[in-house]
Amino acid sequence: MNFHPLPADWSTQRATLRRIATHVLGQARHRGDGLFDLLPFPGGFGTPAVGPNRQRVRLVGGSMFVERVEGPDVGDLTAATEVHTVAGSSIAALCAAIGFEPDPEFRVGGDTPPLGDMHAPIMLDSLSVQSLGEWYLLGQRAIDETVASVPDAQASVGRLWPEHFDFGIDLAARPGVRTNLGAAAGDAFDEEPYLYLGPWDSARPGTADYWNAPFGAVLTFAELDAADDPLGRAVEFFLQGVANLRAG
């Protein structure tokens, strides 16, 4: 096995993490710079450093790290990190630890997960966070290597979207043909994580058996968990899809 095993209640854990990503981390970032996309980090995910105090909020394992740096210049800075246990806390308590009250009307898109009971205790397995962080980083590395191999890729910036809870980009396979590349945490299509390549149009050129999903192609968590070289296999998956689109 290449990854931490997924817990038996992965779909429940994933839904909990998606709520935290949206209503704690997404809202925290939005208050700093008006955006809400996130980044993968070792062992989890979180916000970039934003605002005048360069606040960064990360979910790593079973903890939430709130990091701030203040000062007029690099020669006169004060840095501070607060660590809060997530399991047994609540959405409201985590937001309060950062310094705000969650906005029930906050939206990250048409499929924004509901806030739910913001005071209910959070039930979270810390290994779920680690598994997801590992998965997103693998996807990011494979996507980066793919972009570096595609001439004039015109790739967008990689981001972790709370709405669908996936890390992804889009790029130009060739002029006029764009496709999404990403690492999903799982959803109604497949409860477990998967990598995906989704062309913007309906054409599916090249090897027919590559296109194994309604929206394009996927490579599953189980397939990569059993691979001798998961990163190499992930890069191969993305490059094969791009090659199919370039040839079409």
Side-chain angles (χ1 to χ4, degrees):
M1 296 192 304
N2 296 306
F3 309 121
H4 284 97
L6 297 176
D9 63 341
W10 172 250
S11 60
T12 300
Q13 294 287 317
R14 186 187 68 229
T16 297
L17 290 171
R18 185 170 167 235
R19 285 181 62 229
I20 295 172
T22 300
H23 298 291
V24 179
L25 305 183
Q27 288 205 41
R29 175 174 185 182
H30 190 263
R31 290 167 181 270
D33 65 2
L35 304 174
F36 51 73
D37 53 292
L38 306 173
L39 297 170
F41 289 111
F45 54 90
T47 74
V50 298
N53 60 2
R54 282 87 100 191
Q55 176 177 279
R56 183 171 71 169
V57 184
R58 295 183 293 131
L59 197 65
V60 178
S63 301
M64 182 181 74
F65 289 72
V66 183
E67 302 161 322
R68 299 184 178 98
V69 178
E70 300 186 31
D73 57 57
V74 294
D76 185 15
L77 296 176
T78 300
T81 299
E82 300 173 3
V83 182
H84 304 272
T85 301
V86 176
S89 187
S90 66
I91 295 288
L94 293 178
C95 291
I98 301 169
F100 68 92
E101 294 184 7
D103 177 4
E105 302 303 317
F106 182 72
R107 294 290 180 269
V108 293
D111 292 326
T112 298
L115 173 61
D117 183 353
M118 70 176 74
H119 300 289
I122 294 171
M123 307 298 290
L124 183 66
D125 178 353
S126 62
L127 288 179
S128 296
V129 187
Q130 294 181 39
S131 295
L132 197 53
E134 289 177 356
W135 181 253
Y136 286 144
L137 285 174
L138 173 76
Q140 182 181 37
R141 289 183 64 194
I143 289 169
D144 285 346
E145 291 199 20
T146 301
V147 171
S149 301
V150 177
D152 195 25
Q154 301 176 28
S156 64
V157 176
R159 290 168 286 187
L160 172 55
W161 297 104
E163 180 184 14
H164 297 131
F165 213 25
D166 62 342
F167 175 87
I169 69 161
D170 61 84
L171 61 74
R174 59 186 172 88
V177 178
R178 295 195 71 84
T179 185
N180 295 323
L181 283 68
D187 49 33
F189 172 76
D190 188 341
E191 288 294 331
E192 293 191 349
Y194 60 88
L195 303 183
Y196 64 86
L197 186 141
W200 287 15
D201 59 31
S202 59
R204 300 291 185 268
T207 312
D209 60 2
Y210 176 81
W211 305 109
N212 58 357
F215 48 82
V218 300
L219 185 62
T220 67
F221 181 90
E223 290 175 294
L224 283 176
D225 198 29
D228 290 335
D229 177 8
L231 177 59
R233 179 68 186 94
V235 174
E236 178 185 46
F237 165 75
F238 285 131
L239 286 176
Q240 182 181 354
V242 173
N244 283 343
L245 295 173
R246 289 178 67 83

